[in-house]
Structures are given as C-alpha cells and as structure tokens.
Amino acid sequence: MKLRAAARGSGTNCTGVRRVDELARSVGGMERKGTVNYRMILPMLEIDGENLTLSDVRAVADGETAAVLSSAARERMASSRQVVEEILAEGRVVYGVNTGFGVFSEVRIAGDHVRELQRNLILSHCAGVGEPYSREVVRAMMLLRANALAKGS
C-alpha cells in the first residue's frame, strides 16, 4: 500500500442525491464542499485495481485511511471509456449502454438519450427503502467499485 498524506474533511450525511464525483471524493475521506477541513491528516491508499486487500478496505471504511486512484488506473479507465465511445460511434449495440435493462434489454436507446439513460440508472440506484447503510458500509462499497473500475477494460 502506497501512503501519502491527505486532508480529511468533516463530512456530511448523504441526504438525497449527490453527484457521483462528490461521492467518489468522499470515499477517500475528503469531503470537498467549499473548503477542506485540515484538522486531521490521514495516510493515503493508492488504488490501482490490483492490490486492494481486506485490511485496506477496512481502513478506508473506518476512516483511518483515505484513497486516491493511481495514474495508471486513471489511464486504464480513460482507455476503457474510449472503447465505449468508439463502440457507440460505430453504432454497435451494447447492453445497458445504449439499450434498456432487464426485460427492456431489446429496447435500443437513441444516441442523444444515452447520457440520460446512464444518469437515470444512477438515480434509480439511489432510491431505496429501509434504513440507510452506515457511512462505513457505503465507503467500503464505493472503494470496491472504484477498485473494480480501476482495472480498466
């Protein structure tokens, strides 16, 4: 685990929908809303998509360690994004990217509505019933998702 210093903000409870990039920033213990609170300095875990351990997940979930994507992971993610962009430009059909989901998988989504489809997918996953998950569970889930995306295509 590569460690660096990172500022930890005071954080807020998530009530309602926040932008995905705001959620991603809060995974690392840095809440960037206005100014950063520099009261606490945390070790920084560099996520590369390959070396995440259970103890890393626990440390980030518990707020003892912050996380950031490695440069290589960012490059792999950008490359994956480029592949999707090329597939869409070619007019090929990709489940969940330019089609509906589940029983609507045969429904093709027009190119000018693909961004809206993806936004609606995120919003649909933000809705739920019951008590919200704890901050620790959400941080662990976000870290695991970030790590999976860091693998690239």
Side-chain angles (χ1 to χ4, degrees):
M1 163 168 85
K2 293 183 181 179
L3 297 177
R4 292 193 290 195
R8 178 178 176 175
S10 60
T12 59
N13 289 330
C14 181
T15 56
V17 177
R18 293 193 300 177
R19 291 179 36 176
V20 172
D21 59 337
E22 291 173 15
L23 289 172
R25 281 193 294 267
S26 70
V27 166
M30 291 184 71
E31 191 69 40
R32 293 183 187 169
K33 211 169 203 172
T35 60
V36 175
N37 182 341
Y38 288 96
R39 288 182 295 179
M40 184 183 286
I41 303 297
L42 296 176
M44 179 68 79
L45 170 68
E46 190 171 65
I47 304 168
D48 63 5
E50 301 298 328
N51 297 303
L52 188 67
T53 67
L54 287 175
S55 61
D56 293 337
V57 174
R58 171 61 72 185
V60 171
D62 289 344
E64 298 167 1
T65 300
V68 65
L69 288 169
S70 71
S71 297
R74 288 178 185 276
E75 289 173 17
R76 285 191 299 273
M77 293 168 80
S79 177
S80 295
R81 167 76 184 238
Q82 186 60 38
V83 168
V84 172
E85 295 291 339
E86 290 170 5
I87 288 170
L88 290 174
E90 294 169 2
R92 293 167 40 197
V93 177
V94 180
Y95 173 79
V97 176
N98 59 0
T99 72
F101 304 94
V103 296
F104 298 108
S105 64
E106 300 295 320
V107 176
R108 179 86 185 264
I109 307 301
D112 57 339
H113 291 288
V114 168
R115 182 176 293 273
E116 182 181 1
L117 173 71
Q118 297 306 310
R119 183 180 191 290
N120 288 341
L121 174 64
I122 297 295
L123 292 176
S124 74
H125 285 78
C126 290
V129 296
E131 292 297 315
Y133 287 119
S134 69
R135 178 175 290 268
E136 294 78 16
V137 168
V138 172
R139 289 170 59 90
M141 289 188 302
M142 294 294 292
L143 177 66
L144 291 169
R145 185 65 186 138
N147 189 65
L149 291 171
K151 291 180 179 292
S153 56

